[in-house]
Amino acid sequence: MNRANLLGYGFALVSSIGYGSVTVIAKKGLLTYGSPIAAVSVSLFAGTLCMALFSLKSVNIPADGGKKGLLFFLLSGLMAGAGQLFMYLALGQAPVVVVTPITNITPLLTILLVYVFLRGMERVTFRVTMAAGLVVAGVILISMGRVGP
Amino acid sequence: MLGVVFALVAACAFAAGNVFGRVGLEYVRATGGVLVSLVASLILLLLVTLVFDLQALLAIPLAAAAWFATAGILNFPVGRYFKFLGIRHIGTSRATAITSGSPFFAVTLAVLLMDEQLTTLVLLGTALIGGGLFLLAGEQT
């Protein structure tokens, strides 16, 4: 495994740890105040402010293709925001044990979209698909098996 | 049934967000791109909150807001930014699969800090996640 790949796996792991710790921290807050949509708004505001402070000076938009890139990230952000909204709508209609496993199939849907739309950019192998399937199955089992105080 | 449909739409939206971001990385660096994506998400969510649940937003106690702000910093500058850095280096499929294993870390912290119990299903789920990550680590890129 070369250095670039090692870095990539490391970055993805850091992301996973960050996302994982969010659940515990957010739950502490929700025990005090139970409005999920307000919680997400405050979280997103704080996160965006922190990101802006951290990165604003180093943001470099290339003249060639920069606007196109930003447009795709704009769409990415709108999709992520829409995903959060629909997840909360889903939680309002169905129990967590139904909603969470379904929303956790995101990696498999991502692989499908990559295969259909990004074939020229990325290779989707059987091994990666199997690995994603195992992760999704594991996440679903964890969602079903969690017992809290 | 409506809950299932909404959950499916949410999963599709998250997946589309990953793919759009991957295409964006062809043109701009993760730093600027993630900032734009966060601003877009924020505007959308704030608009919806303002229209449907403004009172809930205005009535947040300071202690709860501090927890939510901390969660936000872990979720977005750490979670989303490092996810796109991972996508840039090892591709969307691998990076997304690894970041989606986050419940493993959530469970670990929950057991250590919030008295959650380890059940057979959780242990089995953790093993499956570990197996998936092991498969990914052995992938030739």
Short mmCIF file of all heavy atoms in Angstrom, two decimals, chain A residues 110-137:
data_model
loop_
_atom_site.label_atom_id
_atom_site.label_comp_id
_atom_site.label_asym_id
_atom_site.label_seq_id
_atom_site.Cartn_x
_atom_site.Cartn_y
_atom_site.Cartn_z
N THR A 110 -24.13 4.71 -2.97
CA THR A 110 -23.01 5.49 -3.49
C THR A 110 -22.25 4.67 -4.53
O THR A 110 -21.93 5.18 -5.62
CB THR A 110 -22.05 5.90 -2.36
OG1 THR A 110 -22.78 6.64 -1.38
CG2 THR A 110 -20.91 6.75 -2.89
N ILE A 111 -21.98 3.41 -4.21
CA ILE A 111 -21.26 2.54 -5.15
C ILE A 111 -22.06 2.38 -6.45
O ILE A 111 -21.50 2.42 -7.55
CB ILE A 111 -20.98 1.16 -4.51
CG1 ILE A 111 -19.86 1.30 -3.47
CG2 ILE A 111 -20.61 0.12 -5.55
CD1 ILE A 111 -19.62 0.07 -2.66
N LEU A 112 -23.37 2.23 -6.33
CA LEU A 112 -24.21 2.09 -7.52
C LEU A 112 -24.13 3.34 -8.39
O LEU A 112 -23.95 3.26 -9.61
CB LEU A 112 -25.67 1.84 -7.08
CG LEU A 112 -26.69 1.68 -8.20
CD1 LEU A 112 -26.39 0.43 -9.02
CD2 LEU A 112 -28.11 1.58 -7.62
N LEU A 113 -24.21 4.52 -7.75
CA LEU A 113 -24.14 5.77 -8.50
C LEU A 113 -22.76 5.96 -9.14
O LEU A 113 -22.64 6.45 -10.27
CB LEU A 113 -24.47 6.96 -7.60
CG LEU A 113 -25.92 7.08 -7.12
CD1 LEU A 113 -26.08 8.26 -6.17
CD2 LEU A 113 -26.87 7.22 -8.30
N VAL A 114 -21.71 5.57 -8.40
CA VAL A 114 -20.36 5.66 -8.96
C VAL A 114 -20.24 4.77 -10.18
O VAL A 114 -19.70 5.16 -11.21
CB VAL A 114 -19.30 5.26 -7.89
CG1 VAL A 114 -17.94 5.03 -8.54
CG2 VAL A 114 -19.19 6.32 -6.83
N TYR A 115 -20.79 3.55 -10.08
CA TYR A 115 -20.72 2.60 -11.19
C TYR A 115 -21.46 3.13 -12.42
O TYR A 115 -21.00 2.99 -13.56
CB TYR A 115 -21.29 1.25 -10.76
CG TYR A 115 -21.25 0.20 -11.86
CD1 TYR A 115 -20.04 -0.39 -12.21
CD2 TYR A 115 -22.39 -0.17 -12.55
CE1 TYR A 115 -19.98 -1.33 -13.23
CE2 TYR A 115 -22.33 -1.10 -13.57
CZ TYR A 115 -21.14 -1.68 -13.90
OH TYR A 115 -21.07 -2.59 -14.91
N VAL A 116 -22.62 3.76 -12.18
CA VAL A 116 -23.44 4.24 -13.30
C VAL A 116 -22.88 5.53 -13.91
O VAL A 116 -22.79 5.66 -15.13
CB VAL A 116 -24.90 4.46 -12.83
CG1 VAL A 116 -25.71 5.15 -13.92
CG2 VAL A 116 -25.53 3.14 -12.46
N PHE A 117 -22.47 6.47 -13.05
CA PHE A 117 -22.14 7.81 -13.54
C PHE A 117 -20.65 8.14 -13.57
O PHE A 117 -20.25 9.06 -14.29
CB PHE A 117 -22.85 8.87 -12.67
CG PHE A 117 -24.34 8.84 -12.79
CD1 PHE A 117 -25.13 8.39 -11.72
CD2 PHE A 117 -24.98 9.23 -13.95
CE1 PHE A 117 -26.51 8.35 -11.82
CE2 PHE A 117 -26.37 9.19 -14.05
CZ PHE A 117 -27.13 8.74 -12.99
N LEU A 118 -19.84 7.45 -12.78
CA LEU A 118 -18.43 7.85 -12.69
C LEU A 118 -17.49 6.75 -13.17
O LEU A 118 -16.36 6.66 -12.68
CB LEU A 118 -18.09 8.21 -11.22
CG LEU A 118 -18.85 9.37 -10.59
CD1 LEU A 118 -18.31 9.67 -9.21
CD2 LEU A 118 -18.78 10.62 -11.45
N ARG A 119 -17.92 5.95 -14.10
CA ARG A 119 -17.10 4.82 -14.55
C ARG A 119 -15.75 5.28 -15.11
O ARG A 119 -14.76 4.58 -15.00
CB ARG A 119 -17.83 4.03 -15.63
CG ARG A 119 -18.52 2.80 -15.08
CD ARG A 119 -19.11 1.97 -16.17
NE ARG A 119 -20.55 2.10 -16.19
CZ ARG A 119 -21.35 1.29 -16.88
NH1 ARG A 119 -20.86 0.34 -17.62
NH2 ARG A 119 -22.65 1.47 -16.85
N GLY A 120 -15.74 6.44 -15.72
CA GLY A 120 -14.48 6.95 -16.26
C GLY A 120 -13.54 7.46 -15.18
O GLY A 120 -12.32 7.59 -15.41
N MET A 121 -14.09 7.72 -13.98
CA MET A 121 -13.27 8.31 -12.91
C MET A 121 -12.80 7.29 -11.91
O MET A 121 -11.71 7.39 -11.36
CB MET A 121 -14.12 9.34 -12.15
CG MET A 121 -13.98 10.75 -12.63
SD MET A 121 -14.93 11.83 -11.56
CE MET A 121 -15.49 13.00 -12.74
N GLU A 122 -13.66 6.33 -11.59
CA GLU A 122 -13.33 5.37 -10.54
C GLU A 122 -13.72 3.96 -10.96
O GLU A 122 -14.68 3.76 -11.70
CB GLU A 122 -14.08 5.73 -9.25
CG GLU A 122 -13.58 6.97 -8.57
CD GLU A 122 -14.22 7.16 -7.21
OE1 GLU A 122 -14.83 6.23 -6.68
OE2 GLU A 122 -14.08 8.27 -6.69
N ARG A 123 -12.96 3.02 -10.39
CA ARG A 123 -13.23 1.61 -10.67
C ARG A 123 -13.97 1.02 -9.48
O ARG A 123 -13.55 1.17 -8.33
CB ARG A 123 -11.88 0.90 -10.85
CG ARG A 123 -11.90 -0.42 -11.55
CD ARG A 123 -10.46 -0.80 -11.90
NE ARG A 123 -9.60 -0.83 -10.72
CZ ARG A 123 -9.17 -1.95 -10.13
NH1 ARG A 123 -9.54 -3.12 -10.57
NH2 ARG A 123 -8.37 -1.88 -9.09
N VAL A 124 -15.07 0.35 -9.75
CA VAL A 124 -15.80 -0.32 -8.66
C VAL A 124 -15.53 -1.82 -8.78
O VAL A 124 -15.86 -2.44 -9.79
CB VAL A 124 -17.32 -0.07 -8.76
CG1 VAL A 124 -18.06 -0.89 -7.70
CG2 VAL A 124 -17.63 1.40 -8.58
N THR A 125 -14.88 -2.37 -7.78
CA THR A 125 -14.54 -3.79 -7.83
C THR A 125 -15.52 -4.60 -6.98
O THR A 125 -16.22 -4.07 -6.11
CB THR A 125 -13.12 -4.02 -7.30
OG1 THR A 125 -13.09 -3.64 -5.92
CG2 THR A 125 -12.09 -3.20 -8.08
N PHE A 126 -15.52 -5.90 -7.22
CA PHE A 126 -16.37 -6.81 -6.44
C PHE A 126 -15.97 -6.76 -4.97
O PHE A 126 -16.82 -6.78 -4.07
CB PHE A 126 -16.23 -8.23 -6.99
CG PHE A 126 -17.00 -9.26 -6.22
CD1 PHE A 126 -18.39 -9.28 -6.27
CD2 PHE A 126 -16.36 -10.18 -5.41
CE1 PHE A 126 -19.12 -10.22 -5.54
CE2 PHE A 126 -17.07 -11.12 -4.68
CZ PHE A 126 -18.46 -11.13 -4.74
N ARG A 127 -14.66 -6.67 -4.72
CA ARG A 127 -14.16 -6.64 -3.35
C ARG A 127 -14.68 -5.43 -2.58
O ARG A 127 -15.10 -5.54 -1.42
CB ARG A 127 -12.64 -6.62 -3.38
CG ARG A 127 -11.99 -6.82 -2.03
CD ARG A 127 -10.48 -6.84 -2.19
NE ARG A 127 -9.85 -7.06 -0.91
CZ ARG A 127 -8.92 -7.98 -0.68
NH1 ARG A 127 -8.52 -8.75 -1.66
NH2 ARG A 127 -8.38 -8.10 0.51
N VAL A 128 -14.65 -4.26 -3.24
CA VAL A 128 -15.14 -3.03 -2.61
C VAL A 128 -16.63 -3.15 -2.32
O VAL A 128 -17.11 -2.75 -1.25
CB VAL A 128 -14.84 -1.79 -3.48
CG1 VAL A 128 -15.60 -0.57 -2.98
CG2 VAL A 128 -13.35 -1.50 -3.51
N THR A 129 -17.36 -3.71 -3.26
CA THR A 129 -18.80 -3.86 -3.08
C THR A 129 -19.09 -4.82 -1.92
O THR A 129 -19.97 -4.57 -1.08
CB THR A 129 -19.47 -4.39 -4.36
OG1 THR A 129 -19.05 -3.58 -5.46
CG2 THR A 129 -20.98 -4.36 -4.26
N MET A 130 -18.34 -5.93 -1.85
CA MET A 130 -18.49 -6.88 -0.74
C MET A 130 -18.18 -6.21 0.59
O MET A 130 -18.89 -6.39 1.58
CB MET A 130 -17.51 -8.04 -0.91
CG MET A 130 -17.99 -9.14 -1.83
SD MET A 130 -19.35 -10.06 -1.11
CE MET A 130 -18.57 -10.76 0.34
N ALA A 131 -17.08 -5.44 0.60
CA ALA A 131 -16.67 -4.76 1.83
C ALA A 131 -17.76 -3.79 2.29
O ALA A 131 -18.11 -3.74 3.47
CB ALA A 131 -15.36 -4.01 1.59
N ALA A 132 -18.28 -3.01 1.35
CA ALA A 132 -19.34 -2.06 1.69
C ALA A 132 -20.57 -2.80 2.20
O ALA A 132 -21.23 -2.37 3.14
CB ALA A 132 -19.70 -1.22 0.47
N GLY A 133 -20.88 -3.94 1.58
CA GLY A 133 -22.01 -4.75 2.02
C GLY A 133 -21.83 -5.23 3.46
O GLY A 133 -22.76 -5.21 4.26
N LEU A 134 -20.61 -5.66 3.79
CA LEU A 134 -20.33 -6.11 5.17
C LEU A 134 -20.49 -4.95 6.16
O LEU A 134 -21.06 -5.12 7.23
CB LEU A 134 -18.91 -6.67 5.27
CG LEU A 134 -18.70 -8.07 4.72
CD1 LEU A 134 -17.22 -8.45 4.77
CD2 LEU A 134 -19.51 -9.10 5.48
N VAL A 135 -19.96 -3.78 5.78
CA VAL A 135 -20.07 -2.61 6.66
C VAL A 135 -21.53 -2.26 6.88
O VAL A 135 -21.97 -2.02 8.01
CB VAL A 135 -19.29 -1.41 6.08
CG1 VAL A 135 -19.61 -0.14 6.85
CG2 VAL A 135 -17.79 -1.67 6.10
N VAL A 136 -22.31 -2.25 5.81
CA VAL A 136 -23.74 -1.92 5.92
C VAL A 136 -24.46 -2.93 6.80
O VAL A 136 -25.25 -2.56 7.68
CB VAL A 136 -24.39 -1.84 4.52
CG1 VAL A 136 -25.91 -1.80 4.62
CG2 VAL A 136 -23.88 -0.63 3.76
N ALA A 137 -24.17 -4.22 6.59
CA ALA A 137 -24.80 -5.26 7.42
C ALA A 137 -24.43 -5.08 8.88
O ALA A 137 -25.26 -5.20 9.79
CB ALA A 137 -24.37 -6.64 6.93
#
